[in-house]
Structures are given as C-alpha cells and as structure tokens.
Amino acid sequence: MSDISVVIASHSGYGHTAQIAVAVEDGARSVAGTRVRRVDVASLGDADWDLLDAADAIVFGTPTYMGTASGAFHAFAEATSKRWSTRAWSDKLAAGFTNSGSMSGDKMHTLQYLSLLAAQHGMLWVSLNLLPGWNTTTSSPQDDNRLGFYLGAGAQSFNDTAAVHDADLSTARHLGRRVAEQTRIHRAGLAAAAH
C-alpha cells in the first residue's frame, strides 16, 4: 500500500498550539508509511491548499480564544467554502485539537466547532479514544488525557509561560498516531471495496 498523507492545519497565537501541532505530527509520523505536513492556516499559499486537497486526513488545530477557535482559524474555515460546495474533502478523515490557559477554558466548544466543520465537509471524524486520566485519588496529572476530553485533544498551557504540559503533548502524540492508524485502515477498506 502506498503512503498515506496527513496534513495538520493549525493556527497558533503564542506558540503553545504550534507545540501541540508538532506533537500530533510526531505521533502520526510514528506510523510507518505516513507522510505528515503542517500548514499554518493564517498564511496559506496555493501549495498549502494543494496539500490539504490531496491529504487522506486533515487534523485541525487552534487555540481557544473567548470560547471558540481563533479568528485566523475562523477565516480559514470560511475560506474552505469552495471545497465545501464541490465536496472536495468528502470522506477524508478529520480530527482536532485545541489549547487554552484554563483547565476547561471552553475548549469543548472549540472541539465541537472543529468537528462540525468536518461534518459540513462530509469528513469522517476520528475521536481521541482515550479514557480520562487524573480522575481518581491515585491517578496523576501526568496521565494522558488528564483533562478528560473524548472528541479531540485538549491542552492547558499557563498564560505566563511558553511551556505546554508534558501530558498534553503525550495526548497529542496519541491523537496523531490514532489518526494515522485509522487513515491506514480506511484506505485499506476503500481499496478492498473497489475490488
């Protein structure tokens, strides 16, 4: 089977979300036969749009600002309307991640927004598939999915530091790996159905 292509389409206002995008990339790249590229949705050129159009899977990423995706990500989402009208991304796999300064920070709303964007395009959403961590007296804030999201990867980064929590980066790597694995399975299924 030929390589699969995963593109991470994200925006980062202060560098935290970019670190998470790199972790998602590392996770996806850990699956043999996966080509991974990252594009900054705030400065897309024609070559970036071509990468998105050719991708088998797109992982959307954005900080959560004021309870939703960043303005730059919203502008990107609106710019995808030409692809929406032609169903260009239909049946691609999709997933998402977000980051904010607070433990909750209304990140769930952003993940719902990303999954709805994917649904409007006819894409197939890949969930995180991790049980919540750090939810018992014997668990740890170092657990994967310490913030307890299911829809995608949620991260919390303090506003006064450039660091992203190690557990959130590990969770992001899990998401990237899962997207690549599910994309490989999806591609194999399509190939089998065509015969």
Side-chain angles (χ1 to χ4, degrees):
M1 180 181 288
S2 62
D3 287 356
I4 59 167
S5 170
V6 176
V7 177
I8 301 160
S10 62
H11 172 250
S12 185
Y14 298 97
H16 300 103
T17 309
Q19 292 176 59
I20 299 163
V22 169
V24 171
E25 177 182 15
D26 290 345
R29 198 177 303 281
S30 74
V31 176
T34 304
R35 290 179 290 112
V36 190
R37 298 290 300 271
R38 284 184 290 120
V39 298
D40 180 353
V41 301
S43 58
L44 290 176
D46 289 342
D48 298 316
W49 284 109
D50 290 345
L51 281 173
L52 290 164
D53 292 342
D56 295 301
I58 300 173
V59 183
F60 300 119
T62 176
T64 294
Y65 294 153
M66 305 308 291
T68 190
S70 67
F73 194 92
H74 277 278
F76 158 72
E78 290 178 19
T80 68
S81 63
K82 290 180 183 175
R83 276 120 181 117
W84 168 82
S85 65
T86 62
R87 310 317 291 154
W89 293 355
S90 181
D91 295 329
K92 291 182 186 294
L93 272 66
F97 61 91
T98 190
N99 176 75
S100 70
S102 300
M103 296 295 268
S104 169
D106 293 320
K107 287 186 273 285
M108 181 55 74
H109 180 261
T110 301
L111 291 171
Q112 289 170 332
Y113 168 75
L114 298 177
S115 66
L116 181 56
L117 173 65
Q120 288 177 330
H121 280 282
M123 302 171 83
L124 307 172
W125 190 259
V126 178
S127 67
L128 188 58
N129 192 27
L130 271 179
L131 291 173
W134 197 28
N135 63 354
T136 67
T137 57
T138 58
S139 59
S140 162
Q142 299 306 317
D143 292 344
D144 280 359
N145 198 19
R146 70 187 179 106
L147 300 178
F149 288 96
Y150 293 92
L151 196 55
Q156 181 261 335
S157 301
F158 293 115
N159 293 333
D160 59 352
T161 180
V164 175
H165 197 286
D166 288 342
D168 297 341
L169 293 175
S170 178
T171 300
R173 284 188 288 276
H174 169 87
L175 178 66
R177 189 169 45 257
R178 176 163 162 76
V179 167
E181 290 168 349
Q182 293 304 308
T183 302
R184 181 158 296 290
I185 291 167
H186 181 66
R187 169 84 78 75
L190 291 173
H195 286 89

